[in-house]
């Protein structure tokens, strides 16, 4: 994948939006805000709007409307212009004084036709026309109160949030996740008069609910626009049943078929079901600083893959906790700071020790350029040492402004190194290594018996003990790395003990975290009884069993566990690494688990990996333990420290 092409795809899209932003009151939804955050930065939008006041608001039902002095509005939305989205649009406009409204949708008009049940043949006849957008333009004028006012509705593919040179996220699809085996039962119940599905291997687009199909089509539309920007004719491959549905939809997407006829280049897209390997997503083997930063620092509100960096140390405020919310937080995304971007790339692609040294080097060089009185020290990089360098910028406004992005990454590093959760990282790693050795030597019942005393209620826990969310991380690791296992009497009893202990621990929490609220269905610890907790835990373990059996349909990629030998310990081998090795290994026959999705008779005549040109791997990957998954794009520059 051409790196400038991916970045320019996002930036070019935002340039089309920013042209419409001058003197406008701008409403953004969370996914588009995240794309802007990583691609251009909010400052670019504020510059485009102009004026001394901040005219950017979140798109929500209770958003404040525009006053008489704000006649122009720009709405930038990631989803379909349908249903609740249109209702919120109407409500905001009706309580405002707009005379000019521009609505930008990140979903193409072709998908809007599908959402409005326009048959494919009829949609083909509408090429060059946009009746859905035109009807909405009429409605916008009606809501503004004058049909002579101006309204525009246009499509801009704001699909990606380019987090780094080789990683792009799709925040609008944070909730799109592969199906689990238990979902087959739900699909069968939804179509009682049709042939019953036996497994996920039989799932195709015809059996999925319309809402899920629309979400897939929205993703496919965005990917097609990306391929158009890159000028490539893509070949679609899939690893896993859900990826097969997405890859097939892109391969047969009518606008994509038309586009491919004139595309000058070629590329191969490989879609991978992330449920096939959740081990790396929740594991702690990676000796990477960014992984730790994202895991331990609090999440930036409204974002799926950025964190809040406490900036109080660069102010005159005392570092007490009550002052933390006084100063706006920093973050990892530094799209307009060349030096900070270079450091961010280095942090992603180096080991923990080298990354800390890289932070130190950038801070020292920045301080030297500003003629700050820096004192070099030898030896290991420590949080206190980095803090002393950062403090040099505190009373120098010019230096602070010049290196603000770099200082945010420096503070993120310091706060991560000092965070108590970082110390617990080694405990996770020790348990995971012990588990890897135990898989080949002991039964799963013994593993559960080792886990049981680690489950403690809040009244008995110390800072070194695992809280419920951390226990869930360990459980996901256990089931994902082990794969499907036979349940005997000993295992059944050991698993039941773990389930009861976990249910009791949930009940004794003084306050339920958002995750526990979602799992238990209770918004307060007072309402959580043991029977409710036990039911929730039983459902949780059913999902864990599904995760363990996710690779059952694979013939080649059945395991991510590498048994130990006399010379090497047992280890974890990421599925994505296995997939990439198979693609680039000329000596092996065609992998049976990487399916080519045909888009017509010509493709059916093709065989083998001669079709692979420039490879793009797409996978639902958790970038933060127990967080919503994002889509990760990775090219052939795969680094072992990032779990590949």
């Amino acid at each position: 994948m051409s790196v400038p092409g991916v970045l320019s795809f996002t930036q070019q899209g935002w340039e089309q939006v920013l042209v419409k932003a001058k003197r406008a009151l701008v409403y953004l939804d969370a996914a588009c805000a995240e794309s802007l955050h990583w691609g251009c930065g909010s400052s670019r939008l504020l510059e485009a709007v102009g004026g001394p006041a901040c005219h950017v608001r979140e798109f929500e039902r209770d958003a404040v409307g525009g006053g008489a002095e704000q006649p122009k509005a720009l709405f930038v939305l990631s989803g379909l212009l349908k249903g609740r989205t249109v209702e919120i649009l109407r409500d905001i406009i009706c309580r405002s004084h707009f005379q000019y409204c521009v609505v930008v949708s990140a979903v193409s008009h072709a998908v809007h036709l599908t959402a409005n049940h326009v048959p494919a043949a009829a949609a083909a006849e509408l090429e060059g026309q946009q009746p859905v957008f035109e009807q909405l333009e009429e409605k916008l004028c009606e809501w503004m109160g004058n049909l002579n006012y101006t309204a525009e509705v246009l499509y801009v593919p704001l699909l990606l949030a380019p987090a780094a040179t080789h990683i792009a996220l799709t925040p609008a699809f944070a909730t799109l996740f592969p199906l689990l085996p238990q979902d087959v039962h739900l699909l069968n119940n939804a179509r009682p008069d049709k042939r019953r599905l036996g497994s996920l291997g039989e799932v195709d687009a015809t059996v999925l609910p319309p809402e899920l199909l629309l979400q897939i089509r929205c993703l496919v539309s965005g990917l097609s626009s990306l391929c158009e920007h890159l000028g490539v004719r893509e070949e679609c491959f899939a690893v896993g049943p859900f990826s097969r549905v997405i890859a097939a939809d892109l391969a047969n997407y009518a606008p994509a078929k038309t586009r491919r006829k004139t595309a000058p280049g070629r590329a191969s897209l490989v879609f991978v079901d992330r449920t096939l390997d959740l081990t790396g997503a929740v594991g702690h083997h990676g000796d990477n600083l960014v992984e730790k930063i994202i895991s331990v620092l609090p999440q930036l509100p409204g974002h799926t893959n950025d964190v809040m960096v406490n900036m109080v140390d660069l102010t005159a405020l005392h570092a007490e906790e009550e002052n933390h919310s006084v100063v706006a937080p920093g973050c990892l995304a530094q799209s307009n700071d060349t030096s900070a971007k270079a450091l961010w790339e280095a942090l992603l692609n180096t080991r923990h020790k080298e990354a800390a040294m890289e932070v130190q080097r950038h801070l020292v060089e920045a301080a030297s350029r500003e003629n700050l009185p820096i004192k070099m020290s030898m030896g290991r990089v420590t949080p206190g040492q980095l803090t002393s360098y950062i403090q040099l910028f505190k009373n120098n406004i010019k230096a602070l402004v010049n290196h603000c992005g770099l200082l945010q990454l420096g503070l993120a590093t310091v706060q991560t190194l000092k965070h108590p959760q970082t110390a617990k990282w080694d405990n996770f790693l020790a348990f995971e290594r012990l588990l890897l050795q135990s898989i080949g030597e002991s039964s799963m019942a013994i593993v559960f018996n080792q886990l049981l005393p680690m489950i403690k209620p809040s009244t008995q826990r110390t800072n070194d003990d695992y809280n419920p969310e951390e226990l869930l991380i360990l459980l996901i690791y256990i089931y994902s790395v082990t794969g499907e296992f036979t349940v005997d009497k000993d295992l059944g009893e050991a698993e039941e003990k773990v389930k009861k202990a976990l249910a009791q621990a949930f009940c004794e929490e003084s306050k339920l975290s958002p995750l526990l609220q979602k799992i238990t269905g209770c918004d307060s610890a007072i309402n959580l009884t043991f029977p409710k907790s036990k039911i929730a835990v039983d459902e949780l373990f059913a999902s864990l069993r599904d995760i363990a059996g996710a690779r059952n349909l694979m013939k080649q990629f059945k395991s991510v566990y590498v048994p130990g030998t006399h010379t090497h310990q047992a280890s974890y081998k990421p599925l994505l690494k296995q997939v990439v090795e198979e693609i680039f290994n000329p000596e092996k026959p065609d992998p049976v688990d990487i399916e080519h999705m045909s888009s017509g008779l010509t493709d059916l005549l093709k065989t083998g990996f001669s079709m692979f040109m420039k490879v793009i791997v797409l996978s639902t990957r958790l970038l933060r333990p127990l967080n919503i998954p994002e889509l990760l794009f990775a090219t052939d520059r795969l680094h072992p420290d990032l779990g590949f």
Side-chain angles (χ1 to χ4, degrees):
M1 184 186 291
S2 170
V3 174
V6 174
L7 181 59
S8 64
F9 173 67
T10 302
Q11 292 178 338
Q12 188 179 94
W14 277 105
E15 287 303 320
Q16 295 177 55
V17 175
L18 297 177
V19 167
K20 304 289 185 180
K22 188 173 182 179
R23 300 187 185 282
L25 180 56
V26 182
Y27 293 87
L28 292 165
D29 66 17
C32 286
E34 193 163 0
S35 173
L36 174 71
H37 178 72
W38 287 100
C40 304
S42 57
S43 61
R44 183 72 185 86
L45 175 60
L46 295 176
E47 290 170 8
V49 171
C54 178
H55 296 297
V56 181
R57 295 173 184 171
E58 183 178 0
F59 180 77
E60 57 182 358
R61 189 175 295 279
D62 298 327
V64 177
E69 72 287 357
Q70 296 167 316
K72 181 180 177 182
L74 169 62
F75 297 88
V76 189
L77 309 174
S78 60
L80 285 162
L81 302 177
K82 189 177 173 66
R84 184 172 179 271
T85 300
V86 173
E87 291 174 5
I88 296 174
L89 260 177
R90 180 198 62 206
D91 292 347
I92 294 174
I93 293 171
C94 286
R95 61 172 173 263
S96 303
H97 295 78
F98 300 138
Q99 300 174 27
Y100 180 10
C101 275
V102 180
V103 177
V104 174
S105 173
V107 179
S108 70
H109 185 265
V111 180
H112 280 87
L113 289 175
T114 303
N116 284 277
H117 311 293
V118 177
E125 295 176 1
L126 292 171
E127 188 173 356
Q129 303 177 55
Q130 297 188 327
V132 177
F133 288 176
E134 290 167 4
Q135 288 174 15
L136 182 56
E137 287 174 352
E138 293 177 6
K139 282 291 184 183
L140 293 174
C141 290
E142 182 182 316
W143 297 332
M144 285 188 283
N146 190 328
L147 295 179
N148 292 320
Y149 286 164
T150 305
E152 295 179 61
V153 180
L154 59 149
Y155 162 60
V156 177
L158 304 174
L159 172 71
L160 303 179
T165 305
H166 291 82
I167 301 176
L169 312 169
T170 57
F173 300 95
T175 58
L176 185 63
F177 203 66
L179 301 175
L180 293 172
Q182 60 187 275
D183 294 317
V184 173
H185 176 67
L186 299 175
L187 292 174
N188 282 330
N189 288 344
R191 48 198 296 277
D193 54 334
K194 303 288 181 64
R195 181 181 65 84
R196 296 186 66 79
L197 303 170
S199 71
L200 282 178
E202 299 175 32
V203 170
D204 58 23
T206 62
V207 305
L208 296 180
E211 298 81 6
L212 180 56
L213 282 175
L214 265 180
Q215 196 176 11
I216 290 172
R217 179 55 60 87
C218 290
L219 173 61
V220 161
S221 169
L223 291 174
S224 180
S225 295
L226 171 62
C227 290
E228 180 178 13
H229 176 81
L230 297 174
V232 296
R233 182 174 71 258
E234 73 279 9
E235 298 282 355
C236 299
F237 297 83
V239 181
F242 193 67
S243 288
R244 189 190 311 122
V245 175
I246 298 175
D249 198 47
L250 177 57
N252 294 284
Y253 182 48
K257 283 187 171 183
T258 304
R259 167 182 53 75
R260 291 187 197 112
K261 294 176 182 177
T262 56
R266 291 180 64 188
S268 298
L269 265 67
V270 184
F271 295 81
V272 183
D273 277 13
R274 195 45 175 143
T275 41
L276 296 174
D277 177 16
L278 289 175
T279 310
V282 297
H284 296 74
H285 336 83
D287 184 22
N288 183 265
L289 181 58
V290 171
E291 186 177 1
K292 295 177 182 177
I293 291 173
I294 294 176
S295 295
V296 305
L297 295 189
Q299 197 168 351
L300 191 65
H303 290 252
T304 53
N305 286 285
D306 206 344
V307 299
M308 290 195 293
V309 180
N310 185 355
M311 304 297 291
V312 171
D313 285 349
L314 287 174
T315 71
L317 292 171
H318 294 292
E320 282 82 8
E321 190 170 339
E322 59 266 22
N323 288 330
H324 290 183
S325 60
V326 175
V327 180
C331 60
L332 301 177
Q334 305 297 332
S335 54
N336 296 314
D337 188 325
T338 304
S339 176
K341 284 177 70 174
L343 175 58
W344 173 244
E345 293 284 347
L347 297 182
L348 281 167
N349 291 287
T350 54
R351 295 184 181 277
H352 179 114
K353 183 179 178 181
E354 288 78 10
M357 294 174 65
E358 197 68 18
V359 173
Q360 180 190 49
R361 183 178 69 81
H362 275 74
L363 288 172
V364 169
E365 290 179 356
S368 298
R369 284 196 296 271
E370 298 293 341
N371 295 317
L372 299 176
I374 193 158
K375 293 180 181 179
M376 288 296 297
S377 56
M378 304 300 290
R380 188 170 62 91
V381 179
T382 65
Q385 194 179 89
L386 295 178
T387 301
S388 69
Y389 299 149
I390 292 170
Q391 290 286 344
L392 295 172
F393 296 81
K394 182 173 179 177
N395 296 316
N396 189 322
I397 299 300
K398 180 175 177 290
L400 195 63
V401 171
N402 289 342
H403 305 283
C404 186
L406 175 62
L407 294 172
Q408 290 176 63
L409 295 179
L411 283 169
T413 301
V414 170
Q415 289 161 26
T416 298
L417 295 178
K418 293 169 65 175
H419 200 285
Q421 194 67 26
T422 302
K424 195 181 283 188
W425 190 277
D426 291 337
N427 296 343
F428 276 104
L429 182 58
F431 180 86
E432 290 162 7
R433 285 177 174 169
L434 178 64
L435 174 65
L436 288 173
Q437 305 315 312
S438 300
I439 290 174
E441 302 169 3
S442 311
S443 68
M444 278 297 292
I446 294 176
V447 173
F448 280 123
N449 288 331
Q450 292 172 337
L451 180 67
L452 188 59
M454 299 161 62
I455 305 174
K456 299 178 181 179
S458 58
T459 53
Q460 299 176 20
R461 285 200 302 266
T462 66
N463 291 335
D464 293 330
D465 292 320
Y466 297 102
N467 64 38
E469 295 192 11
E470 291 166 343
L471 291 167
L472 294 181
I473 290 174
L474 291 177
L475 284 167
I476 292 171
Y477 187 95
I478 290 170
Y479 280 85
S480 181
V481 75
T482 304
E484 191 173 43
F485 45 81
T486 304
V487 180
D488 55 22
K489 181 182 178 182
D490 290 342
L491 176 56
E493 291 176 353
E495 189 180 58
E496 191 60 33
K497 289 178 182 177
V498 169
K499 287 161 68 173
K500 286 182 178 178
L502 197 61
Q504 189 63 45
F506 286 1
C507 286
E508 296 186 22
E509 288 295 296
S510 57
K511 183 180 179 181
L512 297 180
S513 68
L515 179 63
L516 290 185
Q517 290 179 28
K518 187 173 183 180
I519 289 173
T520 61
C522 293
D523 57 0
S524 171
I526 299 174
N527 300 325
L528 182 58
T529 62
F530 181 79
K532 287 182 181 178
S533 182
K534 186 62 169 61
I535 291 171
V537 170
D538 286 340
E539 292 174 352
L540 178 67
F541 272 74
S543 296
L544 289 171
R545 288 280 182 89
D546 281 353
I547 289 170
R551 294 186 295 273
N552 285 354
L553 297 174
M554 297 288 103
K555 298 179 177 65
Q556 188 174 8
F557 305 129
K558 291 191 76 71
S559 177
V560 294
Y561 169 72
V562 180
T565 64
H566 293 299
T567 56
H568 295 91
Q569 289 188 329
S571 61
Y572 156 67
K573 186 173 184 179
L575 184 99
L576 284 184
K577 185 175 184 180
Q578 297 182 44
V579 170
V580 173
E581 284 180 354
E582 288 300 319
I583 290 172
F584 289 105
N585 190 339
E587 298 178 359
K588 291 194 176 183
D590 296 343
V592 292
D593 287 336
I594 305 178
E595 301 178 61
H596 176 245
M597 309 313 297
S598 169
S599 61
L601 179 60
T602 305
D603 283 344
L604 288 172
L605 300 176
K606 298 176 183 176
T607 57
F609 276 82
S610 59
M611 291 178 290
F612 275 104
M613 300 296 287
K614 190 169 183 64
V615 176
I616 306 172
V617 180
L618 298 93
S619 168
T620 48
R621 174 175 175 82
L622 284 166
L623 297 184
R624 181 187 182 98
L626 290 181
N627 195 7
I628 296 174
E630 293 291 327
L631 284 167
L632 175 142
F633 297 66
T635 58
D636 50 356
R637 184 176 162 213
L638 303 177
H639 196 278
D641 293 331
L642 295 180
F644 294 106

